[in-house]
Amino acid sequence: MFRLGKTHMTINKLGFGGIPIQRVDISECKQIINQAKKSGINFIDTAVGYTVSEEYIGEALKENPHSFYLATKSMARTYEAMKKDILGSLDRLKRSYIDLYQIHNLGEADYELVFSENGALRALKEAKEQGLIKEIGITSHSVSVLDRAIDTDEFATVQFPFNIVENQGEEVFRKAKAKGMGTIVMKPLAGGALEDARLALRYLTKLDFLDVLIPGMADEKEIKVNQSAVEDDSPLTEKELADIKYLKENMGDKFCRRCGYCMPCTVGINIPMQFLLEGYLRRYDLETWAVDRYNSSDKNASDCIHCKECEPRCPYGLSISEMMVRVSTEFDKL
């Protein structure tokens, strides 16, 4: 158990990611949450955008609503929209307050708006003053956005993807840690691309700038495997080190790190988001959710004109044009 940055929360290294809750029913959710508690997990991360996740978690915890620290997040960018989402989260989670409320997936395009007089941050600060939330955090898939946000001293925590094949966030995590902020790792299994969960989590537990890991978990077996990995404080073996090296070298030219250097797209596609949604579809088994977001985008992978102007900007040498064909094929056949 350790204190998450300078927050009021004393948590375990393994947290509970709430995305996969969407694919189970309420009865299964209760069983999963109960197993998480038995395993020592006491931090749950969810989001307004995860369809039924907040509602199910709230129902599972209604008899003992403060048995976990609860973190949620909203894509709202304006004052009024964030204010509405905070109240909605309180209602769905059945709590009088929420431990950590985060600005969800902030990008460069909305950065100034969020920090403006009519922005979402103002609503969060007011809610904190009113006791509706305890801490304010931020999540992003952009290193540059988090780097700027950390300097504002407005946030208690930062959340960013980090795993064996996605390590572009190391500097911002170290910077946040040095300032006393809590560091939360999303996608520790690379959105399910890393099949050996034990290896993936053992790798992360050896990094001193990472506080809590929040893999998505949708059954009791996953909880047990993940908890066992996090509790194993033995040094990485020679075989584990060799396997990690192999993954870094062999997934490097196939895996989008969502760094955003490929942007802007000639026709306006959010390129990293296409690969993120593909991961939810193929590895998280969240077909309905992923398809809905894919189809609601102004532009998606099927709009790619294969100009390849993005490819020289990719620091990992990805064949983005070919990967767009793969993504559009996956979604267009559904």
Side-chain angles (χ1 to χ4, degrees):
M1 299 280 280
F2 62 94
R3 187 178 177 191
L4 180 61
K6 295 179 181 178
T7 72
H8 67 289
M9 292 176 279
T10 301
I11 64 174
N12 286 312
K13 189 75 173 180
L14 181 65
F16 186 95
I19 289 180
I21 286 295
Q22 299 171 88
R23 67 173 188 251
V24 302
D25 60 29
I26 186 62
S27 177
E28 291 174 297
C29 176
K30 289 180 179 179
Q31 293 176 12
I32 294 165
I33 296 294
N34 285 336
Q35 180 60 47
K37 184 178 180 181
K38 291 177 183 177
S39 298
I41 295 171
N42 67 344
F43 179 85
I44 296 176
D45 177 88
T46 183
V48 172
Y50 297 167
T51 61
V52 298
S53 183
E54 283 188 332
E55 179 184 347
Y56 280 12
I57 290 168
E59 185 65 25
L61 297 180
K62 69 178 181 179
E63 301 301 328
N64 194 3
H66 296 287
S67 55
F68 286 83
Y69 292 113
L70 293 186
T72 193
K73 46 196 178 290
S74 165
M75 290 287 293
R77 301 300 186 237
T78 66
Y79 171 80
E80 291 295 339
M82 181 60 81
K83 188 174 180 179
K84 179 181 178 181
D85 276 356
I86 292 169
L87 294 176
S89 294
L90 287 165
D91 180 61
R92 289 184 292 273
L93 290 168
K94 297 178 171 56
R95 291 279 296 265
S96 59
Y97 67 85
I98 292 168
D99 296 288
L100 174 64
Y101 212 103
Q102 303 157 102
I103 296 173
H104 191 180
N105 195 17
L106 184 61
E108 294 284 358
D110 295 324
Y111 190 91
E112 298 300 331
L113 172 59
V114 163
F115 283 84
S116 71
E117 178 63 21
N118 189 43
L121 181 60
R122 178 183 154 212
L124 288 167
K125 292 169 77 171
E126 285 186 5
K128 185 178 179 182
E129 291 173 1
Q130 296 163 2
L132 300 179
I133 62 177
K134 296 291 186 182
E135 314 284 355
I136 301 172
I138 184 170
T139 87
S140 181
H141 288 87
S142 166
V143 169
S144 60
V145 164
L146 279 192
D147 190 55
R148 291 174 66 189
I150 289 168
D151 287 336
T152 68
D153 294 323
E154 296 283 6
F155 304 102
T157 64
V158 294
Q159 184 178 148
F160 193 79
F162 200 96
N163 52 66
I164 290 173
V165 292
E166 291 182 279
N167 51 31
Q168 68 271 20
E170 179 171 347
E171 288 188 14
V172 293
F173 270 140
R174 288 190 180 280
K175 180 178 178 179
K177 187 79 169 176
K179 290 175 72 73
M181 300 173 70
T183 55
I184 304 171
V185 179
M186 64 167 125
K187 299 184 172 48
L189 308 186
L194 298 172
E195 297 180 357
D196 188 340
R198 181 175 180 82
L199 178 66
L201 296 179
R202 291 247 303 140
Y203 167 79
L204 295 174
T205 60
K206 309 306 176 187
L207 304 176
D208 60 6
F209 54 90
L210 305 178
D211 287 335
V212 58
L213 319 177
I214 53 168
M217 294 179 276
D219 63 53
E220 296 180 28
K221 180 180 178 182
E222 288 178 340
I223 293 171
K224 292 176 180 178
V225 169
N226 293 345
Q227 188 64 39
S228 173
V230 170
E231 289 178 347
D232 186 351
D233 60 0
S234 63
L236 293 168
T237 66
E238 290 299 319
K239 182 181 185 307
E240 286 176 320
L241 291 170
D243 289 343
I244 288 167
K245 183 174 184 291
Y246 176 85
L247 289 170
K248 285 178 178 289
E249 293 176 350
N250 287 275
M251 289 185 69
D253 61 351
K254 303 178 181 68
F255 191 84
C256 173
R257 276 81 162 180
R258 299 179 286 276
C259 65
Y261 292 126
C262 57
M263 301 286 279
C265 168
T266 304
V267 296
I269 300 168
N270 184 333
I271 297 170
M273 182 59 67
Q274 305 307 297
F275 303 131
L276 182 64
L277 292 175
E278 180 193 27
Y280 288 135
L281 177 70
R282 297 173 60 200
R283 297 188 291 271
Y284 272 107
D285 192 25
L286 292 170
E287 179 177 315
T288 301
W289 191 67
V291 170
D292 177 66
R293 276 151 183 77
Y294 180 84
N295 290 334
S296 64
S297 301
D298 292 335
K299 297 286 185 177
N300 56 39
S302 62
D303 295 302
C304 178
I305 60 174
H306 308 291
C307 64
K308 299 187 178 182
E309 290 192 15
C310 57
E311 294 187 359
R313 298 195 291 266
C314 176
Y316 304 101
L318 298 181
S319 300
I320 297 173
S321 178
E322 293 180 9
M323 292 168 70
M324 282 291 175
V325 172
R326 184 189 72 206
V327 174
S328 63
T329 300
E330 286 286 336
F331 279 97
D332 293 347
K333 70 185 180 183
L334 297 175

